[in-house]
Every structure is written in structure tokens, then in C-alpha cells.
Amino acid sequence: MADTTAPSTTAPTSTTTPGRRKAVSLTRAPTWAWALPPVLVLALGFLYPLALVVRQSFTPESLEDGGASLTPYTEVFASTVFREALTTTVRLAVGATVGCLVLGFVLALVIAFVPFPGSKAVARFIDVFLSFPSFLITLALLFIYGSVGMANGAWTGVTGAAEGPFHFLTTPWGVLLAEITYFTPFVMRPLLAAFSQLDTAQLEVASSLGAGPVRIVRQVILPEALPALAAGGSLVLVLCLNEFGIVLFTGAKGVTTLPMLVYSKAILESDYPAACVVAVVNIVLSVGLYSLYRVVSRRAGA
């Protein structure tokens, strides 16, 4: 008689190592647990100081109990200094943006479509240029066009005059020149990327049909470059609106922008409520323009 035995039903042994069990337990953590650390860092490093600035802007020094009031806003908005600073900031930002768009478009055209030795090296240098601090460009302009710069030194050496004719760096034109010099690569970078994706067959067809260079640029290249121009121009407008180092290092007399006004109110006058009001206005303008930049960049595919 055959011996029938019940099949063994031993429990399967677990081969999961302690490290693997730890990984499984981590993946089963709730989603909010993973979001909590970056949210805490953002809250403590940015949102909390920003909340203090906003609260201080509603707290005039005359209120000892720390109550909220719109007095700082009414006083700042009614001051001539704030209105002039706001007007100067907008004019410089718009002027620098227009200058960067025109100069950046022309330079990008030359680099992308006019073959010359070293064009690739120049394109790579633009990427490096974006990492330069703004005050470095301002110092370079001071060495060239400053009161004791090379241009004035050459003029006095040749003519024997007591001083040179170049003194525009201490005027709004000097600030505008420095901002255009520094921010033009921020327009060129997206333009070069857009030009690299342009189908050269379109240019060849337009040229074979008798179109001249100006017409090719206007009817073929410019429409393709408009999204990149809009994205680069929006970014430059935001950066110029918040630029502080260029205005400070040029030493431009009578040129007071919103960031300079914040510095003046907080550091020189110790008027912290007024400084916070100007800072809040600057933040609102910056966030609005940055939102516009993101929308334009998304549509441009940047």
C-alpha cells in the first residue's frame, strides 16, 4: 500500500533585508510628509521674512502698540521722492529692455547667420557672461569712461585739456548703457536657441525667389524669433526693475530707483515702515512681470 503523506506547508521565508524593509516603509509614508521639509525651509527662509516686511509696512512708528494702519502707504504714495523713483525705475527698465532687444537681435543674427571665425566661441562666451555679477560690468565701464578712465585719459593726453569730455556714466544715460551692456546676453541666449531650430531651407527658398537680406529677416526670421524676443524681453524687464548694483556702482547723481529708495529709507534714514512700503510695491511689480514672463516663456517653449 502506497504511503501517502500530506504535502509540507512550510511558511515562505522572507528574503527582505533590513535596508529593503526600510525603503518600503519610506515609500509608504504619506505624501504630506515628503512635502513638509521643503515647505518648512521655504516658509522659514522666505515667507516668514516677507510676512515681516508686509506687516512692518502697515505699522507706522507712531503706533506704540503695533497696530495696523495705512498711514505708511498714504505717506509714501504722496511723497514726490517715491513718484520720481517709480517713474525713473520704469523708464530705465523699459529703455534698457528696448535697447537689449534691438542690440541682442542684431548680434544674434550676426552670430547665427554670418559665418566668421570664432562664432562658436562667442556663442559659448555668452553663456559664461550670464554668470558675471552686474557690478563687474559697471566697473569695466568706469575703467573706460570714468572721470579718470582710459577714454578721458587719452583725450587729455592728446589735447592737453584739464579733463576729458566723458562724464555720462554719472547720469541716467550711464545707468542705461550699463544695463544694456549687462542684460543684452539674456536676450541673445533664447534668440540663438530659436535660430538654431530655424529651417535653413526657408532661407534658401526666400533667397532663390529674389528676396534680399532685409526682407528675409523681416518676413522669415523675425516671425520665428518673436516668441524668444518676448521671453527674453520679459526677463530683462523684470531684472532691470530690481537692479541695484549697477545704479549704486555708477554713482549716478539724481538717479533714484525703487531698490535705491529702499536702501536709502532703511539704511540712511532708518525709516523702516517707508522702506517696507517701497519694498512691497517693488515685489508686487516684480511678481506681476515675472508671471507675464512665465506665460510668455511657456508659449515660446523656453
Side-chain angles (χ1 to χ4, degrees):
M1 182 177 180
D3 184 15
T4 59
T5 59
S8 60
T9 58
T10 58
T13 57
S14 175
T15 60
T16 304
T17 60
R20 186 171 296 178
R21 283 197 300 269
K22 184 177 181 181
V24 172
S25 63
L26 285 177
T27 56
R28 292 178 180 177
T31 306
W32 62 266
W34 293 99
L36 187 59
V39 169
L40 288 177
V41 172
L42 181 63
L44 294 177
F46 176 74
L47 295 179
Y48 178 67
L50 180 61
L52 292 179
V53 171
V54 175
R55 187 182 68 176
Q56 184 67 35
S57 67
F58 289 97
T59 308
E61 296 179 349
S62 58
L63 293 180
E64 298 179 356
D65 57 352
S69 174
L70 292 175
T71 302
Y73 282 87
T74 57
E75 292 179 351
V76 170
F77 290 167
S79 65
T80 305
V81 176
F82 170 77
R83 292 196 297 269
E84 291 179 352
L86 180 60
T87 303
T88 302
T89 302
V90 173
R91 286 180 177 176
L92 286 175
V94 173
T97 301
V98 173
C100 290
L101 288 175
V102 175
L103 182 60
F105 183 72
V106 173
L107 294 179
L109 277 178
V110 173
I111 294 175
F113 300 107
V114 180
F116 64 92
S119 58
K120 293 183 178 180
V122 173
R124 294 192 186 99
F125 176 74
I126 293 174
D127 295 333
V128 178
F129 190 91
L130 297 178
S131 64
F132 288 172
S134 59
F135 70 85
L136 185 62
I137 306 302
T138 308
L139 285 178
L141 291 176
L142 287 174
F143 287 141
I144 299 175
Y145 299 109
S147 300
V148 292
M150 292 185 296
N152 284 322
W155 179 274
T156 56
V158 173
T159 63
E163 60 180 13
F166 304 104
H167 301 286
F168 62 88
L169 281 182
T170 57
T171 67
W173 294 106
V175 177
L176 191 63
L177 173 63
E179 290 187 347
I180 292 176
T181 303
Y182 178 69
F183 289 115
T184 294
F186 289 84
V187 175
M188 296 177 63
R189 184 65 268 173
L191 279 176
L192 290 175
F195 290 159
S196 65
Q197 299 176 358
L198 183 63
D199 188 6
T200 56
Q202 301 181 24
L203 306 181
E204 296 174 357
V205 170
S207 178
S208 64
L209 294 176
V214 176
R215 187 175 180 181
I216 292 176
V217 171
R218 185 178 70 252
Q219 296 185 354
V220 180
I221 298 178
L222 184 58
E224 297 292 334
L226 284 179
L229 280 172
S234 301
L235 178 60
V236 170
L237 187 61
V238 174
L239 295 175
C240 290
L241 191 70
N242 297 282
E243 181 55 40
F244 175 77
I246 289 179
V247 183
L248 181 64
F249 272 80
T250 54
K253 300 176 182 178
V255 179
T256 302
T257 60
L258 291 180
M260 286 294 296
L261 187 59
V262 173
Y263 173 80
S264 176
K265 291 292 184 180
I267 305 302
L268 302 180
E269 302 178 19
S270 297
D271 190 355
Y272 297 108
C276 291
V277 170
V278 180
V280 169
V281 173
N282 206 358
I283 290 172
V284 171
L285 292 176
S286 301
V287 171
L289 289 176
Y290 180 75
S291 301
L292 177 62
Y293 162 71
R294 292 300 301 170
V295 172
V296 173
S297 299
R298 194 179 300 111
R299 293 182 178 179

